[in-house]
Amino acid sequence: MKKSVLKSPPLGWNSWDCFGAGVTEKQLKENADYMAKYLKDSGWEYIVCDIQWYEPMAKNNDYNNFYPLCMDEYGRLIPAENRFPSSAGGKGFKPIADYCHSLGLKFGIHIMRGIPRQVVHADTPIKNSPFTARQAAHHFSVCSWNTDMYGMKNCAAAQDYYNSIFELYASWGVDFIKCDDICVTEFRQWDKPYSADYEIEMIRRAINNCGRDMVLSLSPGPAGVENARHLSQNANMWRITGDFWDRWDKLHDMFTRCKNWQEYVRPGSYPDCDMLPLGRLSKNGVCHGPQNRMTQFTIPEQLTMMSLWGIFGSPLIMGGNMPENDDWTLSLMTNSEYLKMHRESRGARQYLREEKNGKGKIIWVSNGKKCKYAALFNTSDSEKTIRLDLCDILMPDEQYSIYDIWNSKEAGCFKNSFNAVVAPHGAGLFKISPLSEMEKK
């Protein structure tokens, strides 16, 4: 089995932005129920449980350093039963995965690169292997922000351990793996940057051999463009930024990151702009803003984020607690013309950027099926009229029909140029189509 080829970027939900490390089975199922009822018909399908599902006392976005983790006799992490009751009796995540599948959805989990430290210290045997945990672990390879794991040596013992955990995940029915502490290694002192490349390859082999197709997502970021070929060979998506939150400075920074990666977006391989911090966030603790808040992004800033993620072709992974979505948030996630653009358009590129001290205008364009798309961004602090020269991206002196995607209405017919009034920190998103012969008459 080779790496699966996704025809379009994945659409899903991840528990981190709203529940941190403390998500529970009840909360996973509530979000699955919401997705099945309101979003499945629009293409949303992945429910992903983020970090620390194997730690009984995890409660918020902070980590309990060196806390005992739940695992089986082969050192494979298993869900904490107090948080995920259906996992009791060795069932693991299979009951939750089965529940998601019964709704027509798919289920995913977060994992950390490597092998648990407490497994290594106990020198636990590796399933179906002559090796033990100490023979797999690289004792200098540690995560700078989480104490759970050692990284791996490039050896047969390490491959056997990865094979054993993916065999377990396949038996649970897992469809999506978010692997962390692997996409960028710039903070490690023990080896060169991106030194986890062989671990990425081990994970790819383990997925290929486990008997179940799984999406592989790599975090955190920023990934290096110089590693694009290796990433695309082994993963379906990879982070191009650090953790993204609901702040304008982080959003403005994404224009440069997307520009750097625009040549590498293609079917099956998707540079990832990170989760969408929309709706209800940080329910379990203060994290990059007040606890239990609605997104700090203004409505124009939300349109900017959605427009950039969409035209660039990033995966769309919702971060807020979906049962608390308001009508506005739901409308962003179910806009049919937007999702069609996200699914079908290709060749997105930054067409223009004119800014002074981070304020001005940015235009992105992409190719649809028999149409073009244009996103007009106002990065200034006041309303701005932005002009798009149609003759630069289309045939000059021809008339084109322009559809306003966010306002769900025809903007009219235009020749050579088009002007849009855009709110501060906001965006306009437009579909540009040639007129039919009948319309020309």
Side-chain angles (χ1 to χ4, degrees):
M1 184 185 297
K2 296 181 180 180
K3 189 191 87 167
S4 60
V5 177
L6 299 174
K7 295 181 180 179
S8 59
L11 278 68
W13 172 85
N14 179 288
S15 60
W16 174 256
D17 283 0
C18 48
F19 299 114
V23 70
T24 65
E25 177 170 344
K26 178 175 181 291
Q27 291 160 344
L28 291 177
K29 287 184 173 180
E30 287 173 347
N31 277 274
D33 290 341
Y34 181 95
M35 182 177 286
K37 183 175 181 180
Y38 295 106
L39 297 171
K40 183 176 70 172
D41 289 345
S42 296
W44 298 79
E45 58 179 341
Y46 292 99
I47 296 291
V48 181
C49 178
D50 211 89
I51 195 168
Q52 306 300 120
W53 41 266
Y54 37 79
E55 188 202 326
M57 300 305 293
K59 293 179 179 176
N60 51 40
N61 295 78
D62 296 324
Y63 303 117
N64 298 318
N65 292 336
F66 303 107
Y67 198 86
L69 309 177
C70 299
M71 60 189 63
D72 68 9
E73 67 270 31
Y74 298 109
R76 301 180 297 181
L77 296 169
I78 57 176
E81 293 181 14
N82 63 317
R83 295 169 53 202
F84 307 97
S86 69
S87 69
K91 297 184 182 71
F93 271 128
K94 183 169 173 38
I96 296 178
D98 287 348
Y99 184 79
C100 291
H101 296 156
S102 74
L103 298 174
L105 305 176
K106 296 180 179 179
F107 179 68
I109 59 173
H110 173 289
I111 66 171
M112 292 290 290
R113 173 185 70 93
I115 187 168
R117 294 189 192 189
Q118 68 188 69
V119 172
V120 176
H121 298 166
D123 201 22
T124 303
I126 297 171
K127 187 178 182 184
N128 298 327
S129 173
F131 304 110
T132 62
R134 285 182 187 164
Q135 293 169 287
H138 193 315
H139 64 288
F140 285 158
S141 175
V142 295
C143 177
S144 64
W145 45 268
N146 183 284
T147 60
D148 292 342
M149 315 290 276
Y150 287 118
M152 295 293 207
K153 296 176 183 174
N154 190 1
C155 65
Q159 185 66 66
D160 283 354
Y161 182 78
Y162 275 130
N163 291 344
S164 75
I165 63 173
F166 279 93
E167 175 191 85
L168 180 63
Y169 304 154
S171 74
W172 290 347
V174 171
D175 306 293
F176 185 109
I177 294 289
K178 175 185 175 182
C179 184
D180 216 335
D181 190 41
I182 200 166
C183 195
V184 61
T185 54
E186 62 189 24
F187 301 112
R188 295 197 184 93
Q189 303 299 315
W190 60 275
D191 209 339
K192 65 185 190 304
Y194 198 62
S195 53
D197 54 353
Y198 63 80
E199 288 199 66
I200 294 173
E201 293 168 13
M202 286 180 180
I203 291 169
R204 177 76 266 155
R205 285 193 290 269
I207 293 176
N208 290 349
N209 294 328
C210 77
R212 186 174 182 83
D213 195 18
M214 299 179 190
V215 172
L216 178 57
S217 169
L218 303 181
S219 288
V225 174
E226 67 276 10
N227 299 314
R229 184 172 181 272
H230 185 261
L231 289 164
S232 65
Q233 288 175 333
N234 292 283
N236 301 102
M237 49 191 279
W238 55 89
R239 286 263 296 278
I240 62 174
T241 178
D243 284 2
F244 179 81
W245 282 94
D246 47 334
R247 288 172 25 194
W248 171 249
D249 61 330
K250 287 186 172 289
L251 178 52
H252 185 264
D253 179 58
M254 291 307 297
F255 287 104
T256 299
R257 297 188 185 278
C258 290
K259 169 65 166 60
N260 291 341
W261 281 95
Q262 66 185 19
E263 302 296 329
Y264 301 97
V265 182
R266 54 181 58 93
S269 300
Y270 301 105
D272 178 15
C273 294
D274 201 14
M275 289 173 282
L276 300 164
L278 293 170
R280 181 69 64 178
L281 306 172
S282 297
K283 289 181 67 67
N284 291 342
V286 175
C287 191
H288 298 275
Q291 182 175 351
N292 198 24
R293 66 182 183 274
M294 293 298 283
T295 182
Q296 297 172 117
F297 281 140
T298 65
I299 284 179
E301 288 167 351
Q302 292 175 54
L303 293 177
T304 288
M305 177 177 63
M306 293 295 288
S307 298
L308 182 59
W309 270 233
I311 200 166
F312 172 71
S314 171
L316 301 179
I317 308 296
M318 171 64 171
N321 185 38
M322 294 189 295
E324 296 182 77
N325 280 357
D326 54 18
D327 291 342
W328 164 254
T329 304
L330 179 59
S331 74
L332 289 178
M333 300 176 71
T334 55
N335 185 300
S336 59
E337 284 291 342
Y338 170 80
L339 292 170
K340 182 178 181 180
M341 176 196 71
H342 179 255
R343 182 173 62 251
E344 296 181 357
S345 69
R346 299 288 184 268
R349 62 184 175 90
Q350 180 182 288
Y351 161 73
L352 178 145
R353 185 168 189 171
E354 294 179 355
E355 290 186 304
K356 184 177 181 179
N357 298 322
K359 302 181 188 300
K361 62 182 179 181
I362 301 171
I363 298 176
W364 275 68
V365 296
S366 69
N367 303 312
K369 294 183 176 179
K370 299 181 180 179
C371 67
K372 294 270 189 180
Y373 293 99
L376 280 55
F377 300 99
N378 176 10
T379 59
S380 67
D381 298 329
S382 58
E383 185 178 272
K384 183 182 290 291
T385 298
I386 300 178
R387 181 176 183 270
L388 174 64
D389 290 319
L390 299 176
C391 55
D392 281 356
I393 61 173
L394 295 159
M395 293 293 292
D397 298 321
E398 291 283 336
Q399 277 201 318
Y400 294 91
S401 171
I402 295 185
Y403 183 81
D404 185 334
I405 291 176
W406 290 128
N407 288 308
S408 301
K409 67 179 184 180
E410 296 290 342
C413 296
F414 298 85
K415 183 169 69 174
N416 294 335
S417 67
F418 167 71
N419 292 329
V421 178
V422 184
H425 293 189
L429 186 61
F430 302 97
K431 178 182 179 180
I432 307 167
S433 306
L435 296 183
S436 66
E437 292 302 318
M438 183 65 70
E439 289 173 317
K440 288 179 182 179
K441 294 178 181 179

